[in-house]
Amino acid sequence: MAKNKANTAHAEEGIPWKHIIGFALSIALTLLAVWVVFESTLDKSVIVTVIFIFAFIQAALQLLMFMHMTEGKNGRIQVGNILFAAFIAIVVVMGSYWVMEIGHMNHLM
């Protein structure tokens, strides 16, 4: 127990570089997605695919950097939790996209 408190106290000291790097990478991925939408001449389906790829990379980045997914037993990554989170993210994102496309098609009719 004392060892755990010592590790927690040590982790709170100094600059949280892991969080700063994660934040910077998240901002960079967001700006890349914005650039792809506004400045590229790619086809609409390619743009949507690229945005989905950036979104999943950013979700994985945030799970690893901010959501403490590396704090499993022996410092290992919690694979089951990551797979479950990826499944939920895929269902929510693809479901939302599907519902918006159906609504858009019905709106045009």
Side-chain angles (χ1 to χ4, degrees):
M1 183 80 164
K3 184 178 180 182
N4 190 17
K5 286 183 181 179
N7 288 341
T8 304
H10 179 68
E12 292 177 2
E13 295 176 7
I15 299 173
W17 288 109
K18 184 177 177 183
H19 291 97
I20 292 171
I21 292 170
F23 180 70
L25 290 174
S26 293
I27 296 295
L29 285 168
T30 301
L31 292 176
L32 280 171
V34 169
W35 179 82
V36 166
V37 170
F38 289 127
E39 298 296 328
S40 69
T41 59
L42 298 172
D43 188 38
K44 178 185 174 187
S45 62
V46 176
I47 289 174
V48 170
T49 303
V50 169
I51 289 174
F52 277 133
I53 290 170
F54 284 154
F56 286 117
I57 292 171
Q58 187 167 358
L61 175 78
Q62 290 183 7
L63 283 172
L64 292 173
M65 295 291 197
F66 303 119
M67 297 300 189
H68 308 286
M69 296 302 275
T70 58
E71 293 182 4
K73 295 178 183 175
N74 301 326
R76 296 171 59 184
I77 296 174
Q78 302 172 12
V79 177
N81 290 345
I82 290 176
L83 292 176
F84 179 70
F87 172 73
I88 295 298
I90 289 169
V91 167
V92 168
V93 171
M94 295 303 289
S96 298
Y97 182 72
W98 179 59
V99 167
M100 287 188 282
E101 282 294 317
I102 295 276
H104 182 69
M105 287 188 318
N106 289 337
H107 180 63
L108 293 177
M109 292 181 161

